[in-house]
Amino acid sequence: MYDPLTNKQLNNQQGFPESYWSSTTSPINYAPLNSDVNANVVIVGAGYTGLSCAIHLAQQGVTNIVVVEANEIGWGCSGRNAGFVLPGSGRLGYKQLVDRFGLAPTHKLHDDFMSAIELVDTLAIKTKANIDKTELGYLKLAHSKNWFEKLKESANYLHQEFNYDVEIISKYDFCHDYVDHKNVFGAIRYNNGFGINPLKLVNSYAEYATSLGVTIYNQSPVNQITKSGQQHSVNTEFGSVLADKLVIATNGYTPKGLNTPIKNKILPVLTNVIVTRPLTADELKRSNFNTHQVMMDTRELKYYYRLLPDNRILFGGRGAISGKDATKPKYANRLLSELKSCFPELSTITIDYNWIGWISVAFDQMPHIHKTDDDIFYATGYCGSGVSFSAYAGKLLSELIQEKDVDSPLISALPSLPFAQFRRTGQRFFYQYGRMKDWLG
Ligand SMILES: Cc1cc2nc3c(=O)[nH]c(=O)nc-3n(C[C@H](O)[C@H](O)[C@H](O)COP(=O)(O)OP(=O)(O)OC[C@H]3O[C@@H](n4cnc5c(N)ncnc54)[C@H](O)[C@@H]3O)c2cc1C
Protein backbone atom coordinates (compact mmCIF):
# COMPACT_ATOMS: atom_id res chain seq x y z
CA MET A 1 0.00 0.00 0.00
CA TYR A 2 1.11 3.58 -0.70
CA ASP A 3 3.31 4.84 2.13
CA PRO A 4 4.06 8.60 2.23
CA LEU A 5 7.29 8.02 4.16
CA THR A 6 8.76 5.57 1.66
CA ASN A 7 7.14 6.38 -1.72
CA LYS A 8 8.80 9.28 -3.48
CA GLN A 9 5.77 9.92 -5.67
CA LEU A 10 2.06 9.31 -5.39
CA ASN A 11 0.92 7.66 -8.61
CA ASN A 12 -2.57 7.75 -10.09
CA GLN A 13 -3.00 3.98 -10.37
CA GLN A 14 -4.17 3.43 -6.82
CA GLY A 15 -7.88 2.81 -7.44
CA PHE A 16 -10.50 4.26 -5.15
CA PRO A 17 -10.60 2.47 -1.75
CA GLU A 18 -13.22 -0.27 -1.67
CA SER A 19 -14.91 1.13 1.37
CA TYR A 20 -18.49 1.01 2.54
CA TRP A 21 -18.80 4.60 1.32
CA SER A 22 -17.74 3.81 -2.22
CA SER A 23 -20.47 1.14 -2.27
CA THR A 24 -23.02 3.90 -1.62
CA THR A 25 -21.76 6.47 -4.15
CA SER A 26 -18.83 7.14 -6.51
CA PRO A 27 -16.50 10.14 -6.49
CA ILE A 28 -17.29 12.64 -9.24
CA ASN A 29 -15.00 12.22 -12.21
CA TYR A 30 -12.95 15.15 -13.55
CA ALA A 31 -10.54 15.14 -16.51
CA PRO A 32 -6.77 15.02 -15.90
CA LEU A 33 -4.47 17.97 -16.47
CA ASN A 34 -2.90 17.49 -19.90
CA SER A 35 -1.66 20.96 -20.89
CA ASP A 36 0.11 23.94 -19.35
CA VAL A 37 -2.34 26.40 -17.76
CA ASN A 38 -2.19 29.61 -15.74
CA ALA A 39 -4.16 30.27 -12.58
CA ASN A 40 -4.48 32.85 -9.84
CA VAL A 41 -4.43 30.12 -7.20
CA VAL A 42 -3.39 26.49 -7.55
CA ILE A 43 -4.35 24.02 -4.84
CA VAL A 44 -2.68 20.61 -4.64
CA GLY A 45 -5.01 17.98 -3.15
CA ALA A 46 -8.78 17.63 -3.59
CA GLY A 47 -9.84 16.62 -0.10
CA TYR A 48 -11.97 18.78 2.20
CA THR A 49 -9.13 21.25 2.88
CA GLY A 50 -8.34 21.95 -0.76
CA LEU A 51 -11.96 22.03 -1.89
CA SER A 52 -13.10 24.24 0.99
CA CYS A 53 -10.25 26.65 0.30
CA ALA A 54 -11.30 26.78 -3.38
CA ILE A 55 -14.95 27.35 -2.45
CA HIS A 56 -14.19 30.19 -0.05
CA LEU A 57 -11.86 31.91 -2.50
CA ALA A 58 -14.44 31.68 -5.26
CA GLN A 59 -17.20 32.93 -2.95
CA GLN A 60 -15.03 36.00 -2.31
CA GLY A 61 -14.74 36.70 -6.03
CA VAL A 62 -11.29 35.19 -6.67
CA THR A 63 -11.26 33.78 -10.19
CA ASN A 64 -9.20 31.18 -12.02
CA ILE A 65 -8.74 28.70 -9.18
CA VAL A 66 -7.34 25.30 -10.10
CA VAL A 67 -7.33 22.16 -7.90
CA VAL A 68 -4.95 19.35 -8.89
CA GLU A 69 -5.58 15.87 -7.45
CA ALA A 70 -3.36 12.81 -7.84
CA ASN A 71 -6.24 10.32 -7.99
CA GLU A 72 -9.97 11.06 -7.61
CA ILE A 73 -11.44 13.77 -5.40
CA GLY A 74 -11.59 12.49 -1.84
CA TRP A 75 -9.12 9.69 -2.58
CA GLY A 76 -7.14 10.62 0.56
CA CYS A 77 -8.75 10.76 4.00
CA SER A 78 -11.74 12.79 2.90
CA GLY A 79 -13.49 10.05 0.94
CA ARG A 80 -12.70 7.23 3.35
CA ASN A 81 -13.00 8.53 6.91
CA ALA A 82 -15.54 7.42 9.51
CA GLY A 83 -17.77 10.46 8.96
CA PHE A 84 -17.68 11.81 12.52
CA VAL A 85 -18.27 15.57 12.48
CA LEU A 86 -16.63 16.47 15.78
CA PRO A 87 -16.53 19.63 17.90
CA GLY A 88 -12.74 19.86 17.92
CA SER A 89 -9.49 18.89 16.26
CA GLY A 90 -6.01 17.80 17.30
CA ARG A 91 -5.51 15.53 20.29
CA LEU A 92 -5.56 17.94 23.24
CA GLY A 93 -8.38 18.44 25.75
CA TYR A 94 -9.60 21.90 26.75
CA LYS A 95 -7.48 22.10 29.91
CA GLN A 96 -4.38 21.24 27.90
CA LEU A 97 -5.35 23.87 25.33
CA VAL A 98 -5.64 26.48 28.06
CA ASP A 99 -2.20 25.47 29.39
CA ARG A 100 -0.70 25.80 25.94
CA PHE A 101 -2.47 28.85 24.49
CA GLY A 102 -3.97 30.65 27.50
CA LEU A 103 -7.64 31.13 28.35
CA ALA A 104 -8.62 33.89 25.90
CA PRO A 105 -7.06 32.17 22.84
CA THR A 106 -8.75 28.91 23.88
CA HIS A 107 -12.10 30.72 23.89
CA LYS A 108 -11.32 31.76 20.33
CA LEU A 109 -10.37 28.20 19.51
CA HIS A 110 -13.63 26.94 21.00
CA ASP A 111 -15.52 29.38 18.75
CA ASP A 112 -13.49 28.11 15.78
CA PHE A 113 -14.37 24.49 16.59
CA MET A 114 -18.08 25.33 16.86
CA SER A 115 -17.98 27.33 13.60
CA ALA A 116 -16.25 24.41 11.88
CA ILE A 117 -19.15 22.09 12.69
CA GLU A 118 -21.69 24.61 11.43
CA LEU A 119 -19.68 25.15 8.26
CA VAL A 120 -20.03 21.48 7.24
CA ASP A 121 -23.81 21.89 7.39
CA THR A 122 -23.73 25.21 5.60
CA LEU A 123 -21.60 23.91 2.74
CA ALA A 124 -23.72 20.79 2.29
CA ILE A 125 -26.91 22.85 2.36
CA LYS A 126 -25.55 25.12 -0.38
CA THR A 127 -25.59 22.19 -2.83
CA LYS A 128 -28.72 20.66 -1.30
CA ALA A 129 -26.63 17.50 -1.02
CA ASN A 130 -27.91 14.58 0.99
CA ILE A 131 -24.88 13.67 3.10
CA ASP A 132 -26.82 11.15 5.22
CA LYS A 133 -26.59 13.26 8.33
CA THR A 134 -27.40 11.31 11.51
CA GLU A 135 -29.16 12.42 14.65
CA LEU A 136 -27.09 14.87 16.72
CA GLY A 137 -24.73 13.62 19.43
CA TYR A 138 -21.08 12.73 19.88
CA LEU A 139 -20.63 10.31 22.77
CA LYS A 140 -17.30 10.09 24.50
CA LEU A 141 -17.10 6.81 26.38
CA ALA A 142 -15.04 6.26 29.54
CA HIS A 143 -13.02 3.07 29.28
CA SER A 144 -12.33 3.06 33.06
CA LYS A 145 -13.79 4.43 36.30
CA ASN A 146 -10.93 6.85 36.51
CA TRP A 147 -11.76 8.18 33.04
CA PHE A 148 -15.42 8.62 33.88
CA GLU A 149 -14.33 10.93 36.72
CA LYS A 150 -12.14 12.84 34.26
CA LEU A 151 -14.97 13.12 31.75
CA LYS A 152 -17.29 14.49 34.45
CA GLU A 153 -14.67 17.05 35.45
CA SER A 154 -14.19 18.11 31.85
CA ALA A 155 -17.96 18.43 31.35
CA ASN A 156 -18.17 20.72 34.39
CA TYR A 157 -15.18 22.72 33.18
CA LEU A 158 -16.72 23.18 29.72
CA HIS A 159 -19.95 24.38 31.31
CA GLN A 160 -18.28 26.83 33.72
CA GLU A 161 -15.57 28.21 31.48
CA PHE A 162 -17.05 27.98 27.98
CA ASN A 163 -20.78 27.91 28.65
CA TYR A 164 -20.80 24.71 26.59
CA ASP A 165 -23.23 22.17 27.96
CA VAL A 166 -22.12 18.58 27.77
CA GLU A 167 -24.44 15.93 29.18
CA ILE A 168 -23.09 13.41 31.71
CA ILE A 169 -24.47 9.88 31.27
CA SER A 170 -24.07 7.10 33.86
CA LYS A 171 -23.09 3.58 32.83
CA TYR A 172 -26.60 2.36 33.58
CA ASP A 173 -28.27 5.09 31.51
CA PHE A 174 -25.83 4.60 28.68
CA CYS A 175 -26.50 0.85 28.48
CA HIS A 176 -30.22 1.44 28.82
CA ASP A 177 -30.71 4.40 26.47
CA TYR A 178 -27.97 3.99 23.83
CA VAL A 179 -26.43 0.52 23.62
CA ASP A 180 -25.67 -2.30 25.99
CA HIS A 181 -21.89 -1.86 26.13
CA LYS A 182 -19.83 -4.18 28.30
CA ASN A 183 -16.64 -2.07 28.49
CA VAL A 184 -18.04 1.36 29.26
CA PHE A 185 -17.97 3.11 32.66
CA GLY A 186 -20.08 6.15 31.78
CA ALA A 187 -20.04 8.78 29.03
CA ILE A 188 -20.48 12.40 28.12
CA ARG A 189 -22.47 13.65 25.16
CA TYR A 190 -21.63 16.69 23.03
CA ASN A 191 -24.93 17.68 21.53
CA ASN A 192 -23.61 19.19 18.31
CA GLY A 193 -21.48 16.37 16.84
CA PHE A 194 -23.03 14.14 14.18
CA GLY A 195 -22.29 11.54 11.53
CA ILE A 196 -22.31 11.86 7.74
CA ASN A 197 -21.36 9.95 4.61
CA PRO A 198 -17.87 11.39 3.98
CA LEU A 199 -17.73 10.63 0.27
CA LYS A 200 -21.07 12.32 -0.35
CA LEU A 201 -19.65 15.30 1.51
CA VAL A 202 -16.59 15.44 -0.79
CA ASN A 203 -18.83 15.27 -3.84
CA SER A 204 -20.99 18.08 -2.47
CA TYR A 205 -17.94 20.31 -1.93
CA ALA A 206 -16.61 19.55 -5.42
CA GLU A 207 -19.98 20.25 -7.04
CA TYR A 208 -20.28 23.51 -5.18
CA ALA A 209 -16.70 24.52 -6.08
CA THR A 210 -17.18 23.83 -9.79
CA SER A 211 -20.53 25.66 -9.77
CA LEU A 212 -18.55 28.70 -8.57
CA GLY A 213 -16.10 28.37 -11.49
CA VAL A 214 -13.31 26.32 -9.87
CA THR A 215 -11.50 23.86 -12.17
CA ILE A 216 -10.64 20.44 -10.75
CA TYR A 217 -8.20 18.02 -12.38
CA ASN A 218 -8.25 14.36 -11.29
CA GLN A 219 -5.59 11.71 -12.00
CA SER A 220 -2.79 14.29 -12.01
CA PRO A 221 -0.09 13.59 -9.42
CA VAL A 222 2.10 16.63 -8.81
CA ASN A 223 5.70 15.46 -8.95
CA GLN A 224 7.56 18.76 -8.69
CA ILE A 225 7.00 22.28 -7.43
CA THR A 226 9.23 25.14 -8.54
CA LYS A 227 9.23 28.90 -8.17
CA SER A 228 10.27 31.41 -10.79
CA GLY A 229 10.03 35.06 -9.80
CA GLN A 230 6.78 35.53 -7.93
CA GLN A 231 5.06 32.53 -9.51
CA HIS A 232 4.80 28.90 -8.52
CA SER A 233 4.85 26.12 -11.05
CA VAL A 234 3.11 22.89 -10.14
CA ASN A 235 4.20 20.13 -12.49
CA THR A 236 2.57 16.85 -13.42
CA GLU A 237 3.58 14.33 -16.08
CA PHE A 238 1.30 15.78 -18.77
CA GLY A 239 0.85 19.42 -17.79
CA SER A 240 1.63 22.18 -15.36
CA VAL A 241 -0.09 25.04 -13.57
CA LEU A 242 1.64 28.39 -13.20
CA ALA A 243 0.04 30.44 -10.44
CA ASP A 244 0.57 33.42 -8.15
CA LYS A 245 -0.51 31.53 -5.05
CA LEU A 246 0.11 27.92 -4.11
CA VAL A 247 -1.81 25.90 -1.52
CA ILE A 248 -0.55 22.54 -0.26
CA ALA A 249 -3.60 20.52 0.83
CA THR A 250 -2.03 17.07 0.59
CA ASN A 251 -2.08 16.40 4.35
CA GLY A 252 -1.09 12.84 5.43
CA TYR A 253 -0.82 11.70 1.81
CA THR A 254 2.06 14.05 0.87
CA PRO A 255 4.67 11.87 -0.88
CA LYS A 256 8.21 11.77 0.41
CA GLY A 257 9.70 13.20 -2.80
CA LEU A 258 7.52 16.31 -3.07
CA ASN A 259 9.36 19.43 -1.95
CA THR A 260 6.63 21.04 0.13
CA PRO A 261 7.05 23.06 3.35
CA ILE A 262 5.41 20.25 5.33
CA LYS A 263 8.12 17.76 4.32
CA ASN A 264 9.54 16.00 7.42
CA LYS A 265 7.19 17.93 9.71
CA ILE A 266 4.28 15.55 10.00
CA LEU A 267 3.86 11.93 10.99
CA PRO A 268 1.44 10.05 8.71
CA VAL A 269 -0.37 7.52 10.92
CA LEU A 270 -2.53 4.62 9.72
CA THR A 271 -6.05 4.23 11.00
CA ASN A 272 -8.11 1.17 10.11
CA VAL A 273 -11.87 0.87 9.72
CA ILE A 274 -14.09 -2.20 9.45
CA VAL A 275 -17.80 -2.28 8.60
CA THR A 276 -19.86 -5.31 9.56
CA ARG A 277 -22.75 -6.92 7.79
CA PRO A 278 -26.10 -5.35 8.78
CA LEU A 279 -27.28 -6.36 12.24
CA THR A 280 -30.45 -8.45 12.27
CA ALA A 281 -33.52 -7.16 14.09
CA ASP A 282 -32.79 -9.73 16.78
CA GLU A 283 -29.17 -8.59 17.19
CA LEU A 284 -30.26 -4.98 17.42
CA LYS A 285 -32.72 -5.90 20.13
CA ARG A 286 -30.35 -8.10 22.10
CA SER A 287 -27.52 -5.56 22.01
CA ASN A 288 -30.02 -2.75 22.61
CA PHE A 289 -28.24 -0.78 19.87
CA ASN A 290 -30.69 2.04 19.43
CA THR A 291 -28.59 5.08 18.57
CA HIS A 292 -26.89 6.35 15.42
CA GLN A 293 -24.88 8.88 17.41
CA VAL A 294 -21.13 8.69 16.89
CA MET A 295 -18.92 7.30 19.68
CA MET A 296 -15.26 7.31 20.64
CA ASP A 297 -13.59 6.00 23.77
CA THR A 298 -11.11 7.72 26.06
CA ARG A 299 -8.18 5.39 25.39
CA GLU A 300 -4.82 6.79 24.35
CA LEU A 301 -5.13 4.37 21.41
CA LYS A 302 -8.75 5.10 20.70
CA TYR A 303 -11.54 3.07 19.20
CA TYR A 304 -14.38 4.89 17.41
CA TYR A 305 -17.68 3.47 16.19
CA ARG A 306 -21.18 4.16 14.97
CA LEU A 307 -24.28 2.36 13.76
CA LEU A 308 -24.67 3.15 10.05
CA PRO A 309 -28.01 4.01 8.41
CA ASP A 310 -28.46 0.40 7.22
CA ASN A 311 -27.64 -1.00 10.70
CA ARG A 312 -24.09 -2.10 10.03
CA ILE A 313 -21.47 -1.15 12.63
CA LEU A 314 -18.48 0.90 11.55
CA PHE A 315 -15.62 0.26 13.98
CA GLY A 316 -12.23 1.99 13.73
CA GLY A 317 -8.92 2.19 15.52
CA ARG A 318 -5.19 2.28 14.99
CA GLY A 319 -3.73 0.30 12.10
CA ALA A 320 -0.21 -0.89 11.27
CA ILE A 321 2.77 1.44 11.38
CA SER A 322 4.01 1.12 7.81
CA GLY A 323 2.25 0.83 4.47
CA LYS A 324 3.82 -2.57 3.79
CA ASP A 325 2.07 -4.07 6.87
CA ALA A 326 -1.17 -2.13 6.47
CA THR A 327 -3.29 -4.83 4.88
CA LYS A 328 -2.27 -7.66 7.22
CA PRO A 329 -5.49 -9.29 8.50
CA LYS A 330 -4.46 -8.99 12.16
CA TYR A 331 -5.39 -5.29 12.27
CA ALA A 332 -8.97 -5.81 11.06
CA ASN A 333 -9.24 -8.88 13.29
CA ARG A 334 -8.17 -6.84 16.30
CA LEU A 335 -10.98 -4.36 15.59
CA LEU A 336 -13.50 -7.19 15.22
CA SER A 337 -12.42 -8.77 18.47
CA GLU A 338 -12.68 -5.43 20.31
CA LEU A 339 -16.14 -4.89 18.81
CA LYS A 340 -17.26 -8.30 20.09
CA SER A 341 -15.80 -7.59 23.48
CA CYS A 342 -17.86 -4.37 23.69
CA PHE A 343 -21.03 -6.02 22.36
CA PRO A 344 -20.94 -9.76 23.24
CA GLU A 345 -24.43 -10.24 21.79
CA LEU A 346 -22.82 -9.76 18.37
CA SER A 347 -20.47 -12.74 18.68
CA THR A 348 -21.34 -14.03 15.19
CA ILE A 349 -20.98 -10.70 13.40
CA THR A 350 -18.72 -10.65 10.31
CA ILE A 351 -16.85 -8.01 8.33
CA ASP A 352 -18.10 -6.82 4.91
CA TYR A 353 -15.69 -3.89 4.39
CA ASN A 354 -12.19 -3.15 5.67
CA TRP A 355 -10.03 -0.18 4.68
CA ILE A 356 -7.17 1.95 5.90
CA GLY A 357 -6.00 5.55 5.57
CA TRP A 358 -3.22 7.97 6.55
CA ILE A 359 -4.04 10.74 8.98
CA SER A 360 -1.54 13.50 9.67
CA VAL A 361 -0.11 14.22 13.13
CA ALA A 362 2.06 17.23 13.99
CA PHE A 363 4.69 17.13 16.72
CA ASP A 364 2.53 19.30 19.02
CA GLN A 365 -0.61 17.25 18.21
CA MET A 366 -2.52 20.26 16.87
CA PRO A 367 -3.49 21.49 13.38
CA HIS A 368 -1.48 24.26 11.73
CA ILE A 369 -2.52 26.75 9.08
CA HIS A 370 0.33 28.78 7.68
CA LYS A 371 1.76 31.01 4.97
CA THR A 372 5.50 30.50 4.44
CA ASP A 373 8.05 33.21 3.60
CA ASP A 374 8.05 31.66 0.17
CA ASP A 375 4.34 32.45 -0.26
CA ILE A 376 3.14 28.88 0.04
CA PHE A 377 -0.01 28.22 2.08
CA TYR A 378 -0.81 24.97 3.89
CA ALA A 379 -3.11 23.43 6.49
CA THR A 380 -2.49 20.05 8.06
CA GLY A 381 -2.15 18.07 11.31
CA TYR A 382 -5.80 17.43 12.25
CA CYS A 383 -4.75 14.19 14.01
CA GLY A 384 -7.71 12.17 12.76
CA SER A 385 -10.30 14.84 13.67
CA GLY A 386 -10.44 16.78 10.45
CA VAL A 387 -13.87 16.34 8.89
CA SER A 388 -15.22 19.56 10.36
CA PHE A 389 -11.94 21.34 10.97
CA SER A 390 -10.55 20.87 7.44
CA ALA A 391 -13.53 22.79 6.05
CA TYR A 392 -12.79 25.60 8.47
CA ALA A 393 -9.04 25.46 7.78
CA GLY A 394 -9.82 25.82 4.07
CA LYS A 395 -11.82 28.94 4.88
CA LEU A 396 -8.97 30.38 6.97
CA LEU A 397 -6.48 29.57 4.19
CA SER A 398 -8.65 31.49 1.73
CA GLU A 399 -8.59 34.50 4.06
CA LEU A 400 -4.81 34.32 4.46
CA ILE A 401 -4.44 34.17 0.68
CA GLN A 402 -6.54 37.31 0.36
CA GLU A 403 -4.33 38.96 2.99
CA LYS A 404 -7.22 39.44 5.41
CA ASP A 405 -6.63 39.68 9.14
CA VAL A 406 -7.10 36.15 10.42
CA ASP A 407 -7.29 35.57 14.13
CA SER A 408 -6.84 31.97 15.25
CA PRO A 409 -4.30 30.39 17.62
CA LEU A 410 -3.81 27.75 14.95
CA ILE A 411 -2.36 30.16 12.39
CA SER A 412 1.24 29.12 12.93
CA ALA A 413 4.02 27.16 11.25
CA LEU A 414 4.30 23.43 11.81
CA PRO A 415 6.98 22.76 14.42
CA SER A 416 9.90 20.62 13.26
CA LEU A 417 9.80 16.95 14.14
CA PRO A 418 12.99 16.23 16.09
CA PHE A 419 14.85 13.27 14.56
CA ALA A 420 12.33 13.11 11.71
CA GLN A 421 14.03 10.08 10.19
CA PHE A 422 13.25 8.11 13.38
CA ARG A 423 9.61 9.14 13.63
CA ARG A 424 8.34 5.59 13.15
CA THR A 425 10.54 4.33 15.96
CA GLY A 426 9.01 7.04 18.15
CA GLN A 427 5.55 5.90 17.04
CA ARG A 428 6.35 2.30 18.07
CA PHE A 429 7.37 3.53 21.55
CA PHE A 430 4.22 5.63 21.76
CA TYR A 431 2.05 2.61 20.95
CA GLN A 432 3.77 0.59 23.71
CA TYR A 433 3.21 3.45 26.16
CA GLY A 434 -0.41 3.84 25.00
CA ARG A 435 -1.14 0.13 25.47
CA MET A 436 0.28 0.22 28.99
CA LYS A 437 -1.60 3.43 29.88
CA ASP A 438 -4.89 2.07 28.53
CA TRP A 439 -4.44 -1.19 30.41
CA LEU A 440 -3.85 0.71 33.66
CA GLY A 441 -7.01 2.80 33.00
C1 LIG B 1 -9.91 5.82 8.14
C2 LIG B 1 -10.04 7.26 8.59
C3 LIG B 1 -11.05 7.62 9.46
C4 LIG B 1 -11.18 8.96 9.84
N1 LIG B 1 -12.29 9.31 10.56
C5 LIG B 1 -12.49 10.62 10.86
C6 LIG B 1 -13.69 11.02 11.49
O1 LIG B 1 -14.60 10.23 11.70
N2 LIG B 1 -13.82 12.32 11.85
C7 LIG B 1 -12.85 13.24 11.60
O2 LIG B 1 -13.01 14.41 11.97
N3 LIG B 1 -11.73 12.89 10.93
C8 LIG B 1 -11.54 11.62 10.52
N4 LIG B 1 -10.44 11.27 9.80
C9 LIG B 1 -9.52 12.33 9.36
C10 LIG B 1 -10.14 13.20 8.25
O3 LIG B 1 -10.69 12.38 7.26
C11 LIG B 1 -9.07 14.11 7.68
O4 LIG B 1 -8.56 14.93 8.72
C12 LIG B 1 -9.56 15.02 6.57
O5 LIG B 1 -10.29 14.32 5.60
C13 LIG B 1 -8.35 15.70 5.93
O6 LIG B 1 -8.74 16.32 4.73
P1 LIG B 1 -7.63 16.91 3.78
O7 LIG B 1 -8.33 17.48 2.61
O8 LIG B 1 -6.75 17.83 4.55
O9 LIG B 1 -6.71 15.69 3.37
P2 LIG B 1 -7.03 14.44 2.44
O10 LIG B 1 -8.47 14.17 2.37
O11 LIG B 1 -6.14 13.33 2.88
O12 LIG B 1 -6.62 14.93 0.99
C14 LIG B 1 -5.30 15.06 0.54
C15 LIG B 1 -5.33 14.83 -0.97
O13 LIG B 1 -4.07 15.22 -1.51
C16 LIG B 1 -3.82 14.39 -2.60
N5 LIG B 1 -2.39 14.44 -2.92
C17 LIG B 1 -1.36 14.07 -2.11
N6 LIG B 1 -0.21 14.24 -2.77
C18 LIG B 1 -0.50 14.72 -3.99
C19 LIG B 1 0.28 15.07 -5.13
N7 LIG B 1 1.59 14.92 -5.16
N8 LIG B 1 -0.37 15.55 -6.23
C20 LIG B 1 -1.72 15.72 -6.24
N9 LIG B 1 -2.50 15.38 -5.19
C21 LIG B 1 -1.90 14.88 -4.08
C22 LIG B 1 -4.28 13.01 -2.15
O14 LIG B 1 -4.53 12.15 -3.23
C23 LIG B 1 -5.52 13.36 -1.35
O15 LIG B 1 -6.72 13.19 -2.09
C24 LIG B 1 -10.25 9.94 9.41
C25 LIG B 1 -9.21 9.56 8.55
C26 LIG B 1 -9.11 8.24 8.14
C27 LIG B 1 -7.99 7.84 7.21
Side-chain angles (χ1 to χ4, degrees):
M1 187 182 133
Y2 169 69
D3 186 331
L5 289 194
T6 52
N7 289 104
K8 286 203 167 142
Q9 304 290 349
L10 174 53
N11 71 46
N12 61 349
Q13 306 301 317
Q14 313 277 332
F16 207 77
E18 289 179 15
S19 70
Y20 169 75
W21 311 119
S22 58
S23 77
T24 67
T25 190
S26 304
I28 301 172
N29 214 1
Y30 296 97
L33 176 67
N34 53 19
S35 61
D36 297 337
V37 301
N38 288 300
N40 288 323
V41 182
V42 59
I43 299 168
V44 186
Y48 303 140
T49 304
L51 294 171
S52 165
C53 177
I55 288 169
H56 286 95
L57 286 167
Q59 279 179 331
Q60 296 293 311
V62 177
T63 54
N64 203 0
I65 303 160
V66 168
V67 183
V68 187
E69 165 56 46
N71 287 281
E72 290 84 18
I73 58 162
W75 179 83
C77 284
S78 299
R80 65 174 91 192
N81 62 69
F84 289 34
V85 179
L86 300 174
S89 190
R91 274 179 63 89
L92 305 185
Y94 270 81
K95 282 197 170 156
Q96 291 165 300
L97 292 174
V98 171
D99 288 345
R100 178 166 308 170
F101 296 106
L103 188 56
T106 304
H107 271 277
K108 173 73 185 83
L109 208 47
H110 173 69
D111 294 344
D112 287 349
F113 289 156
M114 298 304 119
S115 305
I117 288 205
E118 285 164 22
L119 186 57
V120 173
D121 259 339
T122 311
L123 289 176
I125 288 166
K126 291 268 186 199
T127 47
K128 301 188 179 65
N130 176 8
I131 54 170
D132 298 340
K133 184 175 169 179
T134 63
E135 63 191 292
L136 289 177
Y138 160 43
L139 294 155
K140 197 150 188 187
L141 315 185
H143 73 284
S144 67
K145 273 189 185 155
N146 184 22
W147 264 98
F148 189 37
E149 293 311 309
K150 288 189 194 173
L151 284 183
K152 286 193 272 188
E153 266 174 43
S154 91
N156 292 332
Y157 184 66
L158 284 173
H159 171 71
Q160 281 157 17
E161 199 52 68
F162 295 89
N163 199 21
Y164 182 32
D165 281 331
V166 175
E167 193 185 337
I168 297 172
I169 305 167
S170 69
K171 175 181 169 68
Y172 174 83
D173 285 345
F174 185 80
C175 293
H176 188 261
D177 297 342
Y178 293 91
V179 51
D180 191 5
H181 191 311
K182 291 295 176 248
N183 301 338
V184 88
F185 287 79
I188 58 175
R189 177 178 173 276
Y190 300 78
N191 60 16
N192 56 346
F194 55 91
I196 48 122
N197 178 320
L199 186 50
K200 290 187 180 176
L201 187 68
V202 177
N203 281 343
S204 79
Y205 286 4
E207 272 183 333
Y208 186 35
T210 50
S211 77
L212 294 171
V214 172
T215 306
I216 300 174
Y217 293 107
N218 274 0
Q219 300 290 343
S220 306
V222 173
N223 47 39
Q224 194 196 30
I225 292 168
T226 56
K227 193 168 184 195
S228 72
Q230 295 305 306
Q231 290 206 298
H232 301 275
S233 178
V234 158
N235 305 312
T236 70
E237 193 178 351
F238 299 110
S240 66
V241 188
L242 192 64
D244 298 334
K245 311 277 185 192
L246 165 63
V247 179
I248 300 296
T250 49
N251 217 336
Y253 280 83
T254 317
K256 183 182 174 194
L258 195 64
N259 53 327
T260 72
I262 67 176
K263 190 179 165 89
N264 287 333
K265 291 189 175 168
I266 54 165
L267 173 65
V269 172
L270 282 170
T271 178
N272 200 144
V273 166
I274 56 170
V275 168
T276 67
R277 64 158 168 76
L279 272 59
T280 62
D282 184 50
E283 283 169 334
L284 281 169
K285 195 167 167 213
R286 281 189 286 121
S287 60
N288 194 34
F289 222 131
N290 55 39
T291 182
H292 289 271
Q293 295 179 32
V294 299
M295 310 178 203
M296 192 182 311
D297 70 22
T298 45
R299 286 182 169 88
E300 196 68 53
L301 306 175
K302 298 182 191 326
Y303 291 107
Y304 48 92
Y305 28 102
R306 55 183 283 204
L307 188 64
L308 293 169
D310 58 358
N311 291 332
R312 299 167 185 273
I313 297 180
L314 177 155
F315 202 95
R318 107 192 112 94
I321 290 195
S322 66
K324 77 175 165 40
D325 294 331
T327 52
K328 287 187 175 163
K330 69 174 182 179
Y331 298 102
N333 288 339
R334 180 164 65 201
L335 294 175
L336 185 61
S337 122
E338 182 61 28
L339 183 160
K340 289 180 179 176
S341 145
C342 297
F343 313 115
E345 297 293 346
L346 306 180
S347 60
T348 58
I349 202 83
T350 49
I351 302 176
D352 276 356
Y353 301 91
N354 168 28
W355 70 94
I356 307 140
W358 295 101
I359 60 164
S360 146
V361 178
F363 183 58
D364 62 359
Q365 305 185 66
M366 287 302 287
H368 289 266
I369 303 153
H370 186 59
K371 171 187 180 231
T372 69
D373 293 341
D374 224 9
D375 267 342
I376 303 178
F377 299 80
Y378 66 75
T380 186
Y382 314 128
C383 299
S385 302
V387 174
S388 58
F389 197 75
S390 53
Y392 194 70
K395 178 172 183 279
L396 295 186
L397 279 173
S398 80
E399 290 167 5
L400 281 180
I401 291 168
Q402 294 171 87
E403 298 180 8
K404 295 187 176 169
D405 264 347
V406 190
D407 174 25
S408 167
L410 300 180
I411 306 281
S412 65
L414 272 171
S416 292
L417 269 177
F419 308 110
Q421 67 274 37
F422 299 118
R423 68 196 109 159
R424 289 228 159 119
T425 311
Q427 189 183 353
R428 275 177 224 284
F429 279 120
F430 177 76
Y431 281 0
Q432 299 285 8
Y433 156 81
R435 268 196 294 270
M436 180 59 76
K437 195 170 166 207
D438 292 340
W439 181 73
L440 290 171

